[in-house]
């Protein structure tokens, strides 16, 4: 059975919305104190420098105000970090993860089975990491890549086994905790996540994947992803996220740092489908050296509120960046996403393609920043945003910012907003499609430029998620 | 951040201004209320991105800029057709009820610190009244600023099915004043049902002057309020041109042109609110930057919940002639109604190398070629100007800057 068939056969709602009884070996107290952080760090047997970094981030977190004065930003007033359980270790003896699905306890294995992860691994991936609550429970890398020196392991393990690399790159140059309040929070209580290291000149031909699953009520997930691609290397990292729906709020505040070496190429794809009571407040950033190429591909479907602006610093001459994003907001959702690109060197190039769909009172916002520094001559950037709206209760905003300090540049921004065309629907109906199918077809066509960039499993998943969202509204 | 009231402002000063003009009590009170509000009001919102504020209005020292009792201007008001064009004082004598009803109805005097300051202290201004059904033709207002500070207030009222084209220009006079100066201009347009207003404005004050202008129109059913805003002068310009489309089928066009050189700072804003059905807006701004000039542009298209069948377009293009210049732009779309066709775009670039090559290969020297391309860049904006004299003047000012 191909993964596409697998996905078709699994009822999508059942795939993402099921929840398991909470079972944990260790759960930190609610809220955030120095004591909690010491306990997490000790439980992970971390070196002293990491504990110190956590404590410093905690100080910064306490000092920084909540972001509340951005024009049109999502409402964070109901988010009470003190009510969030920051750390849960699942009740299994899989510290550091296992490398065989059969070694996982049935209920966890079942979870990932339902999500279709093992199936995808067999068919299309170089390696898989799976995180359940705060810990990575499964980790596997195909041998052929390991032989070439590629490292793909969970972040906690990386702190132990690749300490020098982690110490140099972890929340230092790319995403320092001082970047924003939630980056600081993340720096204090991060747990789990992935570490990817690709040595010079190595091309990892199949994507590596990590899947994050939040299962418990009222918890926070703070996984950290660190990708280091050395000169001339190439890797594609895929991340998937989901959580069932509970009445209490969940908080997801991940951190992603990507180092794109000279002439290296990193693609980072993610489809996130957090439950609709999750606050998704992430910081993702890449630094691209000379000739390096960074590609972000993201689909933001779930969550109550998302504030996420993956950014790239084009540091070396001729570095380039592509952003492809799609956001969909339904009832009660506020998806505030965009992209940031800093052109800090000559001959750098970026493109941003953003599509959003708002319906049933949902709100989507594109918030982007393109900064072209003085001296970044012959740089070019093109930003394109398209929004599709279903009904009059929904809202869609576009707030791009462009800071241009250099004259020898080519900057273009374009955005359009439109409703679903009555004529298009009429045309499809006159060809025998019912209203729902017609609308679904139009939406699928609208997002096609994005889905065609995704690996097939993800394109299928994204389409299924869109269909699921649509069914809910049109039934 | 609220701003302190400067020491040279007091109730007595405001009363004196009002008494000298023999104003009715309600206007004196409006001024006094604006003065009282100053302490709690903020300067106009300025775009901020992490780590920076795009325009630094806080740096203006109102203490030394504002000299309320020594305001002086030379203003010529030319009327070709049937509009009633009156100084603010004349208008109060002749149409007190009209002024009382409409003054402050489009721009809330307490909108921000600078609007309140202007309301409390204005000494010059024009009221243009076009009665129902009158096609008034062209009105020209040429103002010269002859003092350290000058506060001006313009009110345009077009009744049902009336129409008028207004051109306003502001320059610095020959009077010598040491140090920096401040010019403030508030313009309100009350566009009645099915009426038509084109309001063109050309600011070319000297480099010692800071300017603030807020122009806002209210368009009733089927009304059209069009704006043309040309900014060439001033050290620091803050210009807000806005239309509220409050009536079904109303329209607006906001056309902007700016040309900054040396160390000029231009903060240009165009905003439109679609509040009714079948409204249309078109925002077009073109600007050129040379030397170390800096431009900040914000365009807002806000489509309200009840604004069914909206069409809204925005374009902004900046041409950079120098490496030291900086152009920041933020074109915003805020959409609450799905029955909308909207787009916005912004570009920044330099003079096209291929075009330059083409022209120099036709034997034009590079400077002439570049100047022709810059002049050509403004054509889409110039084409929107209905009055020949105004278009030619803007064209000449652009050409003069290129020589």
């Amino acid at each position: 059975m191909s993964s596409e068939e697998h996905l078709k056969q699994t009822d999508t709602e059942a795939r993402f919305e099921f929840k398991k009884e909470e079972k944990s070996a260790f759960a930190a107290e609610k809220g955030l104190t120095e004591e909690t952080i010491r306990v997490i760090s000790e439980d992970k047997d971390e070196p002293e420098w990491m504990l110190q970094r956590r404590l410093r981030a905690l100080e910064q977190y306490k000092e920084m105000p909540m972001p509340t004065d951005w024009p049109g930003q999502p409402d964070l007033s109901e988010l009470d970090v003190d009510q969030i359980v920051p750390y849960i270790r699942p009740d299994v003896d899989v510290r550091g993860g296992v490398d065989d699905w059969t070694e996982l306890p049935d209920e966890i294995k079942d979870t990932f089975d339902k999500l279709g992860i093992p199936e995808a691994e067999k068919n299309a991936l170089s390696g898989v990491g799976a995180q359940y609550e705060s810990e990575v429970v499964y980790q596997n890398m195909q041998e052929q890549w390991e032989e070439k020196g590629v490292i793909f392991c969970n972040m906690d393990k990386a702190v132990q086994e690749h300490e020098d690399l982690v110490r140099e790159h972890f929340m230092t140059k790319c995403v320092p905790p001082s970047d924003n309040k939630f980056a600081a929070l993340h720096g204090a209580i991060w747990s789990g996540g992935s570490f990817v290291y690709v040595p010079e000149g190595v091309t990892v031909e199949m994507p590596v994947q990590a899947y994050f699953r939040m299962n418990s009520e009222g918890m926070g997930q703070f996984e950290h992803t660190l990708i280091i691609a050395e000169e001339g290397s190439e890797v594609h990292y895929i991340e998937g996220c989901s959580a069932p729906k509970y009445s209490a709020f969940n908080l997801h505040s991940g951190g992603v740092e990507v180092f794109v070496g000279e002439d290296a190429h990193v693609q980072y794809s993610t489809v996130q489908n957090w439950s609709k009571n999750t606050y998704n407040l992430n910081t993702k950033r890449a630094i691209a050296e000379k000739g390096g190429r960074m590609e972000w591909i993201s689909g933001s479907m779930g969550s109550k509120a998302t504030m996420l602006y993956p950014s790239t610093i084009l540091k070396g001459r001729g570095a380039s960046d592509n952003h492809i994003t799609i956001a969909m907001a339904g009832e009660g959702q506020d998806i505030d996403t965009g992209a940031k690109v800093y052109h800090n060197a000559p001959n750098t190039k970026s493109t941003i393609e953003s599509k959003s769909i708002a319906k049933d009172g949902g709100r989507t916002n594109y918030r982007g920043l393109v900064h072209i520094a003085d001296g970044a001559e012959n740089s070019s950037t093109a930003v394109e945003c398209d929004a599709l709206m279903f009904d009059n209760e929904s809202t869609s905003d576009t707030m791009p910012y462009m800071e241009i300090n250099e004259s020898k540049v080519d900057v273009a921004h374009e955005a359009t907003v439109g409703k679903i065309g009555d004529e298009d629907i009429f045309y499809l109906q006159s060809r025998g499609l019912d209203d729902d199918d017609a609308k679904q077809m139009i939406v699928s066509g609208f997002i096609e430029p994005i889905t065609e960039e995704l690996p097939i499993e993800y394109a299928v998943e994204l389409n299924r998620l869109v269909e699921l969202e649509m069914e809910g509204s049109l039934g | 951040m609220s701003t302190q009231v400067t020491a040279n402002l007091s109730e007595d000063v405001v009363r004196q201004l009002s008494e000298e003009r023999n104003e009715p009590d309600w206007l004196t009170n409006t001024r006094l209320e604006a003065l009282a509000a100053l302490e709690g009001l903020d300067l106009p919102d300025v775009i901020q991105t992490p780590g920076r504020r795009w325009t630094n209005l806080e740096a203006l020292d109102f203490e030394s800029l504002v000299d309320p009792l020594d305001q002086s201007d030379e203003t010529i008001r030319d009327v070709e057709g049937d509009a009633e064009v009156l100084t603010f004082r004349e208008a109060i004598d002749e149409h007190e009820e009209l002024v009382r009803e409409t003054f402050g109805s489009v721009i809330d005097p307490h909108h921000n610190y600078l609007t309140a300051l202007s309301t409390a202290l204005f000494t010059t201004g024009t009221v243009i009244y076009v009665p129902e059904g009158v096609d008034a033709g062209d009105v020209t207002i040429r103002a010269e600023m002859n003092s350290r500070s000058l506060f001006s207030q313009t009110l345009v009222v077009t009744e049902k099915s009336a129409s008028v084209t207004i051109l306003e220009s502001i320059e610095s006079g020959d009077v010598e004043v040491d140090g920096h100066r401040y010019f403030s201009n508030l313009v309100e347009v009350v566009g009645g049902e099915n009426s038509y207003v084109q309001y063109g404005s050309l600011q070319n004050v000297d480099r010692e002057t800071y300017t603030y202008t807020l122009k806002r129109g209210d368009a009733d059913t089927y009304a059209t309020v069009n704006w043309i805003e040309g900014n060439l002068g001033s050290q620091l310009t803050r210009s807000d041109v806005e239309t509220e489309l409050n009536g079904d089928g109303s329209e607006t066009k906001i056309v902007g042109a700016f040309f900054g050189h040396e160390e000029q700072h231009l903060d240009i804003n165009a905003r439109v609110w679609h509040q009714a059905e079948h409204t249309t807006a078109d925002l077009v701004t073109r600007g050129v930057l040379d030397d170390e000039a800096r431009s900040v542009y914000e365009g807002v298209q806000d489509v309200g919940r009840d604004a069914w069948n909206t069409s809204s377009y925005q374009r902004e293009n900046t041409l950079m002639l120098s490496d030291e210049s900086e152009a920041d732009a933020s074109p915003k779309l805020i959409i609450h109604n799905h029955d909308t066709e909207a787009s916005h775009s912004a570009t920044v670039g330099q003079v096209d190398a291929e075009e330059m090559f083409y022209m120099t290969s036709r034997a034009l020297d590079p400077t002439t070629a570049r100047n022709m391309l810059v002049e050509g860049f403004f054509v889409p904006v110039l084409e929107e100007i209905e009055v020949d004299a105004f278009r030619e003047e803007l064209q000449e000012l652009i050409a003069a800057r290129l020589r």
Side-chain angles (χ1 to χ4, degrees):
Chain A
M1 183 167 62
S2 77
S3 59
E4 193 172 344
E5 285 165 343
H6 174 86
L7 285 163
K8 274 186 187 151
Q9 284 174 12
T10 312
D11 174 59
T12 313
E13 184 145 20
R15 267 184 84 207
F16 296 105
E17 289 292 331
F18 64 91
K19 46 188 150 185
K20 292 279 174 188
E21 199 184 322
E22 281 176 51
K23 275 175 94 179
S24 61
F26 172 82
E29 292 290 306
K30 281 182 184 173
L32 192 57
T33 62
E34 193 181 318
E35 190 48 37
T36 308
I37 284 160
R38 286 185 185 279
V39 166
I40 294 172
S41 189
E42 198 176 325
D43 195 47
K44 292 176 180 300
D45 195 20
E46 283 178 353
E48 178 65 19
W49 61 265
M50 181 55 88
L51 174 63
Q52 291 310 322
R53 274 189 204 179
R54 286 180 184 274
L55 293 173
R56 165 120 186 81
L58 177 67
E59 288 308 309
Q60 286 167 317
Y61 168 75
K62 284 181 185 159
E63 281 162 22
M64 270 184 261
M66 285 283 273
T68 51
D69 58 347
W70 297 18
Q73 75 165 82
D75 179 13
L76 302 180
S77 60
E78 284 179 50
L79 172 66
D80 183 357
V81 176
D82 291 333
Q83 290 305 310
I84 301 269
V85 178
Y87 177 64
I88 298 176
R89 173 148 55 81
D91 178 22
V92 280
D93 187 21
V94 290
R95 305 296 307 276
V98 298
D99 61 3
D100 187 339
W101 290 108
T102 58
E103 287 173 34
L104 284 176
D106 283 347
E107 70 261 29
I108 293 181
K109 181 174 174 296
D110 187 37
T111 300
F112 288 105
D113 271 341
K114 274 197 179 153
L115 293 166
I117 309 296
E119 197 60 39
E121 181 189 16
K122 252 181 265 164
N123 293 316
L125 300 168
S126 304
V128 169
Q131 176 156 348
Y132 197 79
E133 317 294 25
S134 304
E135 293 277 356
V136 173
V137 292
Y138 173 85
Q139 192 83 49
N140 189 30
M141 180 81 202
Q142 289 190 6
E143 242 172 61
Q144 69 211 81
W145 309 118
E146 269 177 8
E147 281 166 10
K148 289 185 178 168
V150 178
I151 303 167
F152 177 47
C153 68
N154 81 63
M155 201 59 224
D156 296 305
K157 194 168 163 188
V159 172
Q160 309 290 343
E161 294 181 9
H162 308 282
E163 193 175 340
D164 290 348
L165 277 172
V166 175
R167 192 169 184 169
E168 184 189 338
H169 294 95
F170 186 91
M171 297 192 87
T172 50
K173 299 168 250 194
C174 200
V175 181
S178 57
D179 190 77
N180 65 71
K181 190 167 181 77
F182 292 95
L185 175 69
H186 173 85
I189 55 172
W190 75 275
S191 179
S194 311
F195 176 73
V196 179
Y197 175 82
V198 188
E200 194 175 327
V202 173
T203 299
V204 183
E205 278 140 16
M206 292 195 288
V208 294
Q209 182 183 29
Y211 205 94
F212 302 99
R213 174 74 182 173
M214 232 192 299
N215 199 57
S216 300
E217 181 166 0
M219 80 165 289
Q221 192 164 22
F222 308 93
E223 83 285 350
H224 191 91
T225 302
L226 177 56
I227 299 170
I228 303 168
E230 300 281 16
E231 189 177 337
S233 68
E234 200 173 323
V235 65
H236 182 182
Y237 177 86
I238 305 179
E239 177 199 88
C241 317
S242 68
K245 189 175 172 68
Y246 291 105
S247 54
F249 295 127
N250 283 32
L251 170 63
H252 173 249
S253 184
V256 174
E257 300 183 280
V258 183
F259 291 87
V260 186
E262 269 188 34
D263 298 318
H265 176 195
V266 177
Q267 187 177 335
Y268 183 101
S269 305
T270 174
V271 175
Q272 66 92 0
N273 186 36
W274 300 111
S275 61
K276 286 175 187 146
N277 62 338
T278 299
Y279 287 92
N280 184 35
L281 309 166
N282 269 315
T283 309
K284 301 184 176 184
R285 187 168 304 142
I287 298 177
E289 304 290 339
K290 189 176 152 193
R293 185 147 73 96
M294 180 66 207
E295 283 181 275
W296 298 98
I297 297 169
S298 33
S300 298
M301 314 294 300
S303 87
K304 173 188 172 64
T306 288
M307 288 174 82
L308 173 61
Y309 324 96
S311 56
T312 300
I313 297 167
L314 299 169
K315 187 180 160 204
R317 179 181 279 270
S320 67
D321 171 71
N322 289 55
H323 271 91
I324 295 174
T325 70
I326 176 160
M328 186 162 181
E331 192 181 345
Q333 287 186 278
D334 192 343
I335 312 279
D336 194 304
T337 63
K340 284 198 285 182
V341 184
Y342 293 86
H343 291 257
N344 288 350
N347 300 75
T348 50
K349 195 173 182 303
S350 66
T351 59
I352 298 169
E353 240 183 289
S354 160
K355 300 239 178 197
S356 71
I357 300 160
K359 58 179 203 50
D360 300 332
R363 182 171 180 278
T364 60
N365 184 17
Y366 171 83
R367 194 187 299 276
L369 172 67
V370 174
H371 178 94
I372 299 191
D374 195 5
E377 56 185 44
N378 300 321
S379 289
S380 68
T381 177
V383 182
E384 235 187 281
C385 315
D386 300 312
L388 189 63
M389 290 176 77
F390 269 66
D391 53 62
N392 197 36
E393 274 63 57
S394 304
T395 302
S396 182
D397 302 347
T398 310
M399 302 200 176
Y401 295 90
M402 283 168 274
E403 302 181 335
I404 316 298
N405 296 306
E406 168 63 46
S407 71
K408 293 189 197 70
V409 292
D410 187 7
V411 177
H413 170 92
E414 270 178 64
T416 63
V417 176
K419 62 168 177 170
I420 257 194
D422 292 338
E423 266 177 57
D424 299 342
I425 288 178
F426 175 76
Y427 176 84
L428 290 168
Q429 283 176 333
S430 74
R431 295 296 183 276
L433 290 170
D434 66 29
D435 191 49
D436 290 6
D437 288 344
K439 283 183 178 169
Q440 274 187 21
M441 195 170 274
I442 290 166
V443 169
S444 298
F446 175 72
I447 62 169
E448 191 177 299
I450 308 263
T451 48
E452 71 188 12
E453 299 290 331
L454 285 167
I456 183 73
E457 292 79 15
Y458 273 74
V460 171
E461 176 173 336
L462 194 63
N463 273 321
R464 293 283 297 163
L465 285 170
V466 169
E467 278 170 33
L468 184 71
E469 289 291 327
M470 303 271 301
E471 277 161 17
S473 75
L474 304 170
Chain B
M1 194 184 328
S2 79
T3 314
Q4 290 302 307
V5 180
T6 55
N8 48 359
L9 293 188
S10 67
E11 253 190 68
D12 290 345
V13 168
V14 172
R15 278 187 197 282
Q16 192 183 333
L17 281 175
S18 193
E19 271 163 31
E20 280 169 6
R21 281 156 189 79
N22 203 16
E23 287 175 353
D25 288 348
W26 64 265
L27 186 51
T28 314
N29 288 335
T30 303
R31 286 178 183 273
L32 289 171
E33 282 163 21
L35 178 78
L38 278 178
E39 208 163 338
L41 288 171
D42 291 335
L43 286 165
D45 280 341
V46 166
I47 297 179
Q48 293 183 71
T49 45
R52 69 192 296 211
R53 216 173 154 76
W54 289 12
T55 297
N56 188 6
L57 293 173
E58 280 75 24
L60 300 189
D61 175 15
F62 289 99
E63 191 88 38
S64 66
L65 285 173
V66 174
D67 191 355
L69 292 174
D70 183 31
Q71 298 187 51
S72 168
D73 65 298
E74 187 88 38
T75 302
I76 301 162
R77 298 172 177 86
D78 236 2
V79 198
E80 268 177 27
D82 298 326
E84 285 196 54
V85 179
L86 308 163
T87 65
F88 217 91
R89 270 177 85 175
E90 290 166 351
I92 283 168
D93 290 342
E94 292 178 30
H95 295 288
E96 187 178 342
E97 262 325 291
L98 179 85
V99 176
R100 186 174 183 165
E101 269 171 35
T102 50
F103 176 67
S105 69
V106 184
I107 297 174
D108 176 5
H110 302 182
H111 181 60
N112 62 45
Y113 183 86
L114 298 182
T115 56
L117 192 69
S118 215
T119 307
L121 301 181
F122 77 94
T123 56
T124 186
T126 306
V127 175
I128 296 159
Y129 170 59
V130 190
E132 185 172 334
V134 172
D135 179 1
D138 297 350
V139 173
T140 315
I141 307 166
R142 291 188 177 279
E144 233 182 55
M145 176 174 173
N146 290 324
S147 50
R148 179 173 306 282
S149 56
L150 183 64
F151 295 88
S152 173
Q153 186 84 41
T154 304
L155 180 60
V156 180
V157 180
T158 49
E159 287 187 347
K160 189 175 175 182
S161 301
S163 72
V164 66
T165 299
I166 301 158
L167 295 177
E168 167 212 80
S169 69
I170 176 77
E171 289 182 351
S172 301
D174 291 331
V175 178
E176 289 282 320
V177 182
D178 281 344
H180 287 295
R181 269 160 276 170
Y182 179 69
F183 174 67
S184 165
N185 190 16
L186 301 188
V187 178
E188 296 180 277
V189 172
V190 183
E193 189 181 330
N194 197 39
S195 68
Y196 173 91
V197 179
Q198 180 178 108
Y199 192 101
S201 183
L202 187 55
Q203 179 271 110
N204 192 33
V205 296
D206 69 23
R207 288 287 312 286
E208 294 303 315
T209 310
Y210 303 121
T211 58
Y212 171 69
T213 180
L214 172 59
K215 302 184 170 80
R216 187 183 279 200
D218 169 3
D220 202 344
T221 310
Y222 303 127
T224 300
V225 177
N226 289 345
W227 301 98
I228 296 155
E229 175 81 356
N231 281 292
L232 285 108
S234 176
Q235 173 55 39
L236 183 147
T237 300
R238 164 71 186 215
S239 154
D240 296 66
V241 180
E242 308 175 336
T243 307
E244 288 181 36
L245 296 167
N246 288 325
D248 289 353
S250 56
E251 291 176 31
T252 188
K253 200 177 252 187
I254 302 178
V255 176
F258 62 85
F259 192 162
H261 71 153
E262 295 171 1
E263 286 175 338
Q264 281 185 291
H265 183 112
L266 297 131
D267 186 333
I268 308 291
N269 304 273
R271 301 187 185 93
V272 56
W273 289 269
H274 296 264
Q275 312 277 25
E277 296 182 23
H278 316 295
T279 60
T280 305
D282 197 3
L283 279 52
V284 183
T285 300
R286 290 205 161 201
V288 173
L289 294 178
D290 203 352
D291 307 323
E292 282 148 46
R294 175 147 185 243
S295 72
V296 170
Y297 170 82
E298 183 185 69
V300 177
Q301 298 152 275
D302 189 313
V303 179
R305 248 231 210 265
D306 302 318
W308 295 90
N309 193 13
T310 296
S311 301
S312 192
Y313 310 98
Q314 179 184 174
R315 297 178 295 287
E316 200 265 343
N317 308 92
T318 314
L319 190 62
M320 291 170 90
L321 302 179
S322 144
D323 256 3
E324 278 71 50
S325 54
E326 178 179 345
D328 298 332
S330 181
K332 292 176 181 164
L333 273 167
I334 297 168
I335 313 288
H336 294 277
N337 187 302
H338 74 292
D339 192 8
T340 295
E341 191 182 293
S343 70
H344 69 204
S345 67
T347 65
V348 179
Q350 55 185 339
V351 175
D352 189 75
E354 259 179 63
E355 287 172 9
M356 277 295 283
F357 176 76
Y358 176 83
M359 292 176 84
T360 48
S361 75
R362 293 297 183 278
L364 288 169
D365 69 81
T367 312
T368 311
R370 187 195 79 156
N371 291 354
M372 283 176 75
L373 288 170
V374 172
E375 286 176 57
F377 176 76
F378 279 112
V379 166
V381 166
L382 293 166
E383 277 175 351
E384 300 293 337
I385 304 174
E386 286 172 12
V387 179
D388 298 343
F390 184 56
R391 183 172 53 245
E392 284 156 17
E393 191 174 345
L394 184 57
Q395 229 162 351
E396 269 168 36
L397 287 171
I398 291 164
R401 181 149 292 184
L402 287 164
R403 273 195 288 274

